Amino acid sequence: MSIHAAVRRHFTAPVLRRRWFVLLFTLGLTTQPLFGALGYEGALVLTPLISLFALAVGVDAVRDTRQAHAADPHALSLQTSGERLRLLFLRGLGDLCSLLTLSLGAFILANFWQVNCDLPGGLLWFLVLPTASGLLGLVAGLWGGVLADRRGVQLLLAGVPLLFSLVLGLWRIYVDPVVYAIDPFWGYFAGPLYDEAIPITARLWWFRAYNFLIAGAALALLSLTLGPGLKLQLRGVSLRRSPFTVATLFACLLPGTLLGVFAAENGFHATEASLANALPRTRVTDHFVIHYAANSAAARDIDLLAAEHEFAWRRLAAQIGREPRAPVHSFVFPTPELKRAWIGAGNTEVAPPWRGHIYLNEQAFPHRVLHHELAHVFSYTVGEPLFGTSSAVSWRGLRVNLALIEGFATAFAPRSESGLDLHDQAAILDRLELRPVLGDIMGLGFWGKSSRRAYTAAGSFCRWLIDTRGVDPFLRLYGTAGDFELAYGTSLDSLEVEWLAFLRARPLRARDIEALRQRFKQRPIFQRPCAHRAADLLAEANLAHHRGLETERIDVLRDLCSIEPEQPEHRLLLAQAEAQAGMQDAAAATLAELSRVTDLTDTIAALVDERLGDLALARFDLPVALTYYDRALTRGLGDNQVRQLQIKRMGAADPALAPRVLAYFDPFEPNPEHPSEAVLRLYAAEQIAALPRYAPLGGYLLGRQLLNVQQGAAAIEPLQRALHPEDDEHPLATSELRRGAMLMLLEAQARARNYDAAARVLAELQEDPDADSGLRLDATLWTERLEFLRAYLP
């Protein structure tokens, strides 16, 4: 055979053409971060391709076998139907294995240029996604090949199960309360990209068991009906002649059918009815049906939670000028783990606009994320009619503007961070030279950026557009998926220049820039090749900790530090684990090593100093502890971190106070979330309050603990004592502590429905000369909230 003929054969023969395509596609995939390593993302992208090619493999196995026996059709007639099926299946399996081997080989070869932190886990994903789906596609291809003669018709018939499962999966995503998708042929989309932990759960194993039971029944049925010409033959089928095949058919079909019929109960997807098992309680309001768990924090706070829902609705309706269809179903999960198990998103709150649902984790009142997620539901009123998102179809194709989708919710429900409002956060992002170019995130490129950077930039820009040009043009912009010329008569680039000038004119303190540097330093998941392995190791460490296996926990955390040495948070966790296990010297050495890293942000450096101070405080080496706490307080930090350090510093400065402050924070307690720890912290706060001159500090800490368990009325007296000390008592020494006490007193008075008293506290907060932009933003929101609560919860 000539070289020309050989090359032509490789491009024309379906078997060789498939192999070349799979190999080149996988090699191309290995050039991309995260997707190019053998793991979840690579397997996810490869699965649909392998499934589609497996259809053709099955069809060609039938066609090639027919052609091979065309000269002697009598040979096939001498075989039993089971033997004929075995011949077809093995022929197709060999071709499918070649495709899987080529793609797996390309992934393994990519270890020379891609970081792979979990090769065994990657092999398992390859087995459970493309390999399993390929086998299912092969079965569908065999059926398609048997049912027709022409290759095009055979492929169409073979594709019917794939099309059916795709339509069913998309329909479930559209109507059911899930954000994950699990499909026999198309694979497993685990949910939001921002949830880094993606384990292979029992749900996926059971789903594959269901798939293979149905596939086994399909093969058994084909074995019973496969005629001599490799065509379907219903006449003359004798069930008595094939008792084993009949038994196999029913043994696969019955349990497979049961698993499929009870799909929601098995976790293959969820419905509103199935979620009632996890969240059996409901509260119906004017615009919401709130689903929550019995005996949860949400159950104890349901009146305020319902009020916050209605307050968020009123604010958004007033700003946007239109309302979605009511009622909106709000599902409030007591733990991220339960939420991930039921809907597919653990630490990420989500709200599909078209569904009229919001899925939340429990948070302390007032819920910080509720307004943002409800804004997504409101976006349905201005987005395209099917999904309510900022997307459009034109001659250039489908355009989805993720920056406007998330910018809409962030702009209409802005949140403070480290004492800064949304625009100050964006201004700091710009000063740090980490701000994404708007043109790069006005589309699917949004996912390629760090979520914190992309959300902040998009939210600030959208809020600036609303403030400077009004709501209506912005809503028009959202509805057109980003046609800036139509909405504003100018280009995105021109608007970006104006917005940047606005940001760069905002005065910023150096400490505020440093306070947010660590937050914005985080890289997007696509630039962290070990992100999933790191999340898995964290889960393993937590599990070992819960089981009391501290040595195993420390070993796992050391592995975590080795795979992501550039993440200083991992070494902080290791030091914490070592200290909790009583290995104080090892913890000090880990922290000392971390402190020598040259590019630590102020946030991390302060945490290192704080932990070293805690170790010294636990040894009762007060001068050393004081030195570390003082050094930490010189760094740029947010108010919450500053307040904690200030209290610890007070302890280090007074031998009488030191053991009680140590008992209150108990930084190396192995089980800080145990209910007994809350009682012990309350007792330590009482002891501090009983010390001469320390009643204000004790009242501050008492109020904090009482608010943690939603006891607002009980927290009022100790917080007032903190803010108005007797003449012989130490007042709260810093503006940060006084501000923290006033914020707690504001919440306590609101919880007790003392709205006039709450308004007085709020007015005093607003008069604070040191109030920053974040506090002003929160105060404005609280002013509106108190006005609403007066009428809603009198």
Side-chain angles (χ1 to χ4, degrees), residues 2 38 60 83 174 486 538 719 747 763:
S2 67
L38 186 61
D60 288 344
E83 290 171 337
Y174 191 78
L486 179 63
L538 279 172
L719 289 171
E747 179 188 337

Side-chain angles (χ1 to χ4, degrees), residues 572-785:
L572 281 171
L573 281 175
L574 174 60
Q576 181 76 2
E578 290 169 334
Q580 288 175 333
M583 302 166 59
Q584 310 294 331
D585 292 340
T590 299
L591 291 168
E593 180 185 359
L594 180 56
S595 68
R596 290 191 287 271
V597 176
T598 56
D599 63 342
L600 291 181
T601 63
D602 273 18
T603 302
I604 298 298
L607 285 171
V608 172
D609 288 336
E610 182 178 0
R611 296 289 177 267
L612 288 168
D614 292 342
L615 288 169
L617 190 65
R619 297 193 307 268
F620 214 70
D621 192 346
L622 301 190
V624 172
L626 195 62
T627 299
Y628 282 122
Y629 293 144
D630 280 337
R631 189 166 71 183
L633 283 165
T634 64
R635 306 185 189 277
L637 305 172
D639 273 7
N640 288 337
Q641 195 172 0
V642 167
R643 282 191 280 266
Q644 182 165 296
L645 281 165
Q646 288 171 342
I647 295 171
K648 289 182 177 179
R649 188 200 179 282
M650 292 169 66
D654 187 336
L657 181 61
R660 291 162 176 82
V661 167
L662 183 65
Y664 179 85
F665 287 105
D666 206 0
F668 307 125
E669 162 59 36
N671 299 293
E673 302 305 320
H674 193 278
S676 64
E677 285 302 303
V679 178
L680 292 173
R681 280 191 291 271
L682 192 66
Y683 177 62
E686 288 276 15
Q687 285 191 309
I688 292 171
L691 285 175
R693 302 187 303 278
Y694 282 113
L697 178 61
Y700 176 97
L701 298 174
L702 271 172
R704 175 72 277 163
Q705 291 307 307
L706 290 167
L707 280 179
N708 283 346
V709 290
Q710 303 155 310
Q711 297 300 310
I716 292 174
E717 188 275 330
L719 289 171
Q720 287 178 331
R721 188 194 324 160
L723 288 165
H724 305 289
E726 301 291 338
D727 292 339
D728 60 339
E729 295 175 339
H730 290 310
L732 293 177
T734 68
S735 60
E736 289 87 2
L737 285 172
R738 282 189 56 80
R739 195 155 49 240
M742 291 171 68
L743 287 168
M744 287 191 288
L745 182 57
L746 171 61
E747 179 188 337
Q749 296 285 16
R751 282 182 171 278
R753 305 188 187 183
N754 300 328
Y755 301 124
D756 290 338
R760 288 192 293 272
V761 176
L762 183 58
E764 190 175 350
L765 272 169
Q766 290 173 308
E767 292 170 2
D768 185 350
D770 296 327
D772 48 30
S773 62
L775 181 59
R776 291 193 296 272
L777 175 66
D778 293 339
T780 300
L781 190 61
W782 266 106
T783 300
E784 297 179 32
R785 181 180 289 114

Side-chain angles (χ1 to χ4, degrees), residues 159-399:
V160 168
L162 276 75
L163 181 61
F164 173 78
S165 66
L166 178 62
V167 171
L168 179 62
L170 292 175
W171 175 250
R172 285 175 171 172
I173 282 285
Y174 191 78
V175 301
D176 287 334
V178 290
V179 293
Y180 67 90
I182 184 168
D183 186 275
F185 305 100
W186 303 96
Y188 174 50
F189 175 68
L193 298 175
Y194 307 120
D195 271 1
E196 294 169 358
I198 307 180
I200 299 178
T201 61
R203 167 168 53 210
L204 187 52
W205 288 117
W206 276 109
F207 185 76
R208 283 311 192 194
Y210 156 63
N211 297 159
F212 283 113
L213 283 170
I214 298 300
L219 286 174
L221 183 60
L222 185 58
S223 177
L224 289 171
T225 57
L226 189 61
L230 298 183
K231 295 182 179 181
L232 202 64
Q233 177 179 296
L234 299 178
R235 288 186 178 183
V237 173
S238 176
L239 300 183
R240 293 181 179 180
R241 294 178 184 175
S242 307
F244 178 76
T245 305
V246 172
T248 301
L249 172 62
F250 285 100
C252 292
L253 187 61
L254 291 178
T257 301
L258 286 174
L259 285 172
V261 168
F262 297 100
E265 288 77 3
N266 293 314
F268 302 161
H269 73 98
T271 63
E272 286 185 32
S274 68
L275 280 189
N277 294 323
L279 306 172
R281 297 288 182 86
T282 58
R283 169 64 66 89
V284 179
T285 69
D286 291 343
H287 300 102
F288 295 91
V289 178
I290 304 171
H291 306 259
Y292 59 98
N295 302 317
S296 64
R300 296 191 297 273
D301 233 6
I302 189 58
D303 290 338
L304 278 174
L305 182 62
E308 191 68 15
H309 275 74
E310 288 294 338
F311 172 56
W313 182 286
R314 192 180 80 164
R315 288 194 80 248
L316 290 166
Q319 291 183 78
I320 299 170
R322 58 193 75 187
E323 301 180 0
R325 183 179 63 254
V328 169
H329 287 260
S330 175
F331 299 87
V332 185
F333 291 84
T335 65
E337 292 75 21
L338 184 65
K339 183 156 151 285
R340 179 183 291 112
W342 279 98
I343 70 162
N347 294 312
T348 306
E349 278 96 343
V350 291
W354 65 90
R355 204 181 290 154
H357 290 180
I358 55 179
Y359 309 105
L360 306 172
N361 292 319
E362 280 186 353
Q363 290 188 13
F365 171 79
H367 200 292
R368 274 177 57 84
V369 185
L370 166 62
H371 293 245
H372 178 98
E373 299 306 331
L374 185 59
H376 280 303
V377 178
F378 270 73
S379 72
Y380 186 80
T381 62
V382 295
E384 49 80 25
L386 186 60
F387 294 99
T389 57
S390 182
S391 55
V393 179
S394 67
W395 62 271
R396 291 176 293 181
L398 174 65
R399 187 170 71 257

